[in-house]
Amino acid sequence: MKRGAVIFGGLGLVFAALAFLVVQKETVLKRGQPVLLRLAPVDPRSLIQGDYMVLDYAINQGWREGREQPQEDGNVVVRLDEHDVGEFVRYEPPGTALAPGEVRVRFRIRNSQMRLGAEAFFFQEGHAERYAKARFGELRVMDNGTSVLVGLRDENYQPLGSALQ
């Protein structure tokens, strides 16, 4: 009987953790501010994993612009233009206030690269051509920098689809 209680208790903890993560992401989707990030050139499809696009963002390419890459996880600050496109402003030192029009986006350093946590976009089989036109990743971003990828947009800022489909 004790062994069964431990197993069910462990399963309960796993389901509670999963429920918490789902609620957290749903909150970002509902309350997060829309931010468009320009995509860097990428291979439009991963042939191994099927209908899937690897995303890379222009703000991750700081080394191309002579910016030093951060060595630890943190926030990048972007300024939004009239189309909600975020342009790099600075890496955020802890405790600094944002200026009007600025948004913080949380990143993590993995394998010496800055990752926003939204580096993959899955789409329905047979729609690869449609998503090859993507020029922006559309994220919803909370005040603390937590973000969720919600779709891709073309050069005219028009939605190409939703990650939620």
Side-chain angles (χ1 to χ4, degrees), residues 38-67:
R38 189 172 310 282
L39 296 174
V42 294
D43 181 13
R45 283 187 77 189
S46 170
L47 298 177
I48 295 172
Q49 293 181 322
D51 291 332
Y52 156 85
M53 182 183 294
V54 175
L55 303 178
D56 191 14
Y57 299 96
I59 65 169
N60 293 355
Q61 306 298 314
W63 54 272
R64 288 183 182 166
E65 299 167 8
R67 285 195 312 263

Side-chain angles (χ1 to χ4, degrees), residues 13-14 37 50 72 79 103-104:
L13 287 174
V14 168
L37 294 178
E72 57 186 41
R79 179 170 290 116
V103 176
R104 70 177 49 92

Side-chain angles (χ1 to χ4, degrees), residues 25-97:
K25 295 295 183 189
E26 286 294 326
T27 301
V28 174
L29 291 173
K30 289 179 184 173
R31 298 185 185 159
Q33 177 176 0
V35 173
L36 302 180
L37 294 178
R38 189 172 310 282
L39 296 174
V42 294
D43 181 13
R45 283 187 77 189
S46 170
L47 298 177
I48 295 172
Q49 293 181 322
D51 291 332
Y52 156 85
M53 182 183 294
V54 175
L55 303 178
D56 191 14
Y57 299 96
I59 65 169
N60 293 355
Q61 306 298 314
W63 54 272
R64 288 183 182 166
E65 299 167 8
R67 285 195 312 263
E68 187 175 323
Q69 291 289 340
Q71 300 303 308
E72 57 186 41
D73 298 355
N75 293 317
V76 63
V77 176
V78 297
R79 179 170 290 116
L80 302 182
D81 68 10
E82 66 276 5
H83 299 288
D84 291 330
V85 175
E87 294 293 331
F88 177 87
V89 175
R90 66 184 177 280
Y91 297 112
E92 182 184 40
T96 52

